[in-house]
Amino acid sequence: MSSQLHSTLLLLPLFAAAAWGRGGGGGGASTAPSLEFHHRFSAPLRRWAEARGRALPGGWPAPGSAAYVAALAGHDRHRAVSAAGGGRSGAPPLTFAEGNATLKVSNLGFLHYALVTVGTPGQTFMVALDTGSDLFWLPCQCDGCTPPATAASGPATFYIPGMSSTSKAVPCNSNFCDLQKECSTALQCPYKMVYVSAGTSSSGFLVEDVLYLSTENAHPQILKAQIMLGCGRTQTGSFLDAAAPNGLFGLGIDEVSVPSILAQKGLTSNSFSMCFGRDGIGRIGFGDQGSSDQEETPLDINQQHPTYAITISGITIGNKPTDLDFITIFDTGTSFTYLADPAYTYITQSFHTQVQANRHAADSSIPFEYCYDLSSSEARFPIPDIILRTVTGSLFPVIDPGQVISIQEHEYVYCLAIVKSRKLNIIGQNFMTGLRVVFDRERKILGWKKFNCYDTDSSNPLSINSRNSSGFSSSTTENYSPQETRNPGGASQLRPLNNSSPAALYDSLLMMLILVHLAIMF
């Protein structure tokens, strides 16, 4: 089995004790130009080069290999700037100053990461994006602090409050401080976040500092927003060996989250969107409320523990529909999907009865119960569609429900990437793949639409805002990965990814690739 799947991650907080009270929770679209990019080792460019006798020294690197990843880190010097508008208010969305690109990193918990810059002068961090928690925290070094332990997955970059002229501690007597009894001094307010993954937590104290953002329109402008973040003195559990070694960016509903702060300051609508590409590359935009043609359903917000939860009223697996009511949380900080009975049993058994493939023998090293052998002569097999029906009748399509796992060299299994849960139902990142998901806290709705994260169209206000484009593939991508193509019978067919798909690749992803490489090496 691939070492990348020792465990799955659940970064939904069990509890949060910190410096804030409970709180939480607009755009028209305009036509945007669309550019098509081919990375330098795509099939079209390879055919073009070979036809002209322009062979590469050492030959063309194999997709997914170290040489392939390293070579793809070169700059293409193309730029795609969209003239798309913002949310329903007409204001352009905001994104991170380093660009709106996100990257799924398998070796770091199968989570999406983005580059953020904070402080004066700015320090840049590659942080995991988590809709299941609220606080944005960074591993921290400070006067009087014990230096954080180095993560097993690699050396982290530390936020140093004393090196930022705009950093200031949140005092214990602040109205936001809920842990006044635990304050060691009157100068700073502590926080502690404990997550569902066993033994996983972050603790430290809260500070205010500036976050660098950029408008997403034809003429991007850099903005500095005063936000609250955690100076993480101590991290435990998955943060030491599996995920977010460089920090976690909470996108939850509570008033301490960055989307809430941006809306409170009137910088954006109280909404944001994330696009999850099937190749692991995506986008994020603050203030984006989606498009008029997206599917929507109301959020079921528990005021005591607010999350992005919705009610499911039915499930269809291939040709087997059923009515089934349950509430589920949408959490980008959870690698795969967790379902409790009866939803888990219905989906997995209905899926199994419609798959014509040999079920893999039980394997304690694989977290999934339903896996199927893939022989060298079997590159694909049909899998049934999975569709969730919400209380409003909107249909949520699960485009890529599986995970291909390497058992040993040239041997793979395809697994239905759902983990059985005792109680919680959590839609993880894998069920959001291939979609643009809108977390609209202003209207209290969840929206979604099938979407190619590289495209812009008249119904999509999310623009491509990047510096120079550069080509690469994630260094953590399996040599064999699932991709589905629809057939007329309504089923999907499994096939390996190839490198002929168009790719718009960003300078910000180049820096992420370097940071991922460092994290994996050490």
Side-chain angles (χ1 to χ4, degrees):
M1 179 192 143
S2 167
S3 61
Q4 299 168 3
L5 270 177
H6 286 317
S7 64
T8 60
L9 285 176
L10 285 135
L11 296 186
L12 193 74
L14 283 173
F15 69 85
W20 60 93
R22 289 293 173 188
S30 60
T31 301
S34 178
L35 301 180
E36 182 176 279
F37 295 89
H38 294 277
H39 63 71
R40 61 186 299 187
F41 296 131
S42 66
L45 289 187
R46 179 173 179 172
R47 290 192 295 269
W48 180 89
E50 289 176 342
R52 290 159 176 77
R54 299 183 181 182
L56 289 179
W60 293 84
S65 66
Y68 179 84
V69 172
L72 282 177
H75 290 212
D76 283 326
R77 300 303 177 190
H78 290 293
R79 180 173 180 173
V81 177
S82 169
R88 288 170 172 80
S89 66
L94 298 177
T95 195
F96 300 122
E98 296 295 332
N100 65 7
T102 68
L103 172 66
K104 183 171 76 173
V105 184
S106 300
N107 286 68
L108 297 178
F110 289 86
L111 304 179
H112 268 255
Y113 290 78
L115 292 176
V116 301
T117 300
V118 298
T120 306
Q123 295 175 266
T124 300
F125 302 84
M126 187 182 73
V127 296
L129 303 173
D130 181 21
T131 60
S133 64
D134 303 298
L135 184 65
F136 167 31
W137 61 261
L138 296 169
C140 187
Q141 285 183 335
C142 59
D143 294 338
C145 292
T146 301
T150 299
S153 60
T157 300
F158 300 124
Y159 170 71
I160 306 175
M163 302 260 316
S164 173
S165 62
T166 48
S167 175
K168 57 182 180 180
V170 174
C172 283
N173 61 2
S174 167
N175 292 333
F176 291 101
C177 188
D178 288 343
L179 295 181
Q180 295 180 1
K181 293 181 180 179
E182 298 183 26
C183 286
S184 58
T185 71
L187 298 179
Q188 57 192 34
C189 179
Y191 80 87
K192 185 171 185 178
M193 299 287 294
V194 178
Y195 300 85
V196 173
S197 282
T200 299
S201 68
S202 174
S203 60
F205 61 91
L206 294 177
V207 299
E208 292 184 9
D209 211 334
V210 295
L211 172 69
Y212 292 82
L213 301 168
S214 173
T215 58
E216 290 217 282
N217 53 17
H219 304 287
Q221 295 181 338
I222 299 298
L223 303 176
K224 292 192 291 185
Q226 194 80 15
I227 53 99
M228 189 181 295
L229 69 146
C231 178
R233 298 174 62 174
T234 305
Q235 276 65 248
T236 64
S238 295
F239 295 137
L240 296 182
D241 60 13
N246 213 207
L248 188 73
F249 199 92
L251 293 162
I253 296 175
D254 223 303
E255 65 182 6
V256 74
S257 74
V258 170
S260 297
I261 293 172
L262 297 180
Q264 291 163 9
K265 292 180 178 294
L267 296 176
T268 66
S269 301
N270 194 8
S271 182
F272 68 93
S273 70
M274 292 183 68
C275 189
F276 301 92
R278 296 174 66 181
D279 58 359
I281 296 175
R283 287 190 268 164
I284 183 170
F286 301 106
D288 178 26
Q289 291 184 298
S291 55
S292 59
D293 60 346
Q294 70 185 9
E295 298 281 345
E296 297 180 348
T297 196
L299 289 170
D300 294 325
I301 299 176
N302 181 325
Q303 294 302 324
Q304 190 173 8
H305 301 289
T307 58
Y308 299 108
I310 67 170
T311 297
I312 301 298
S313 61
I315 302 173
T316 298
I317 311 297
N319 56 6
K320 294 184 65 175
T322 190
D323 293 332
L324 194 60
D325 290 334
F326 62 96
I327 293 177
T328 185
I329 298 168
F330 274 67
D331 180 16
T332 64
T334 297
S335 315
F336 301 104
T337 293
Y338 285 68
L339 294 175
D341 277 332
Y344 174 82
T345 296
Y346 180 78
I347 290 179
T348 54
Q349 292 187 357
S350 298
F351 183 91
H352 177 64
T353 60
Q354 297 181 57
V355 168
Q356 302 299 314
N358 293 324
R359 187 172 175 183
H360 186 69
D363 187 339
S364 61
S365 64
I366 298 177
F368 312 119
E369 185 179 2
Y370 287 83
C371 297
Y372 305 89
D373 294 319
L374 291 172
S375 66
S376 57
S377 61
E378 182 183 41
R380 66 182 69 188
F381 59 81
I383 58 175
D385 292 329
I386 300 177
I387 298 175
L388 309 179
R389 187 180 75 248
T390 71
V391 289
T392 58
S394 296
L395 302 179
F396 185 92
V398 181
I399 296 173
D400 198 354
Q403 176 68 38
V404 172
I405 301 173
S406 174
I407 303 300
Q408 53 187 353
E409 187 175 4
H410 305 306
E411 290 189 24
Y412 304 91
V413 294
Y414 174 84
C415 298
L416 178 60
I418 304 175
V419 181
K420 189 171 186 178
S421 169
R422 291 184 179 179
K423 186 176 181 180
L424 285 176
N425 295 302
I426 302 174
I427 301 298
Q429 272 195 27
N430 66 317
F431 269 36
M432 302 183 219
T433 299
L435 302 173
R436 184 191 66 202
V437 182
V438 176
F439 300 85
D440 191 335
R441 301 108 62 81
E442 183 173 298
R443 296 193 296 141
K444 294 183 173 57
I445 64 101
L446 185 81
W448 62 90
K449 177 183 177 182
K450 289 184 181 180
F451 205 72
N452 180 340
C453 297
Y454 301 119
D455 289 345
T456 57
D457 60 26
S458 59
S459 63
N460 172 39
L462 188 60
S463 64
I464 299 174
N465 175 21
S466 63
R467 309 281 175 79
N468 299 314
S469 299
S470 59
F472 86 101
S473 288
S474 167
S475 62
T476 58
T477 301
E478 299 274 4
N479 289 334
Y480 183 100
S481 300
Q483 184 175 357
E484 295 168 352
T485 53
R486 299 296 172 189
N487 64 30
S492 303
Q493 290 201 334
L494 182 70
R495 63 182 177 86
L497 286 171
N498 57 56
N499 61 338
S500 63
S501 302
L505 301 161
Y506 311 101
D507 270 351
S508 57
L509 292 175
L510 172 62
M511 186 180 293
M512 274 191 272
L513 175 63
I514 294 170
L515 291 172
V516 170
H517 180 65
L518 291 174
I520 294 170
M521 282 182 59
F522 294 96

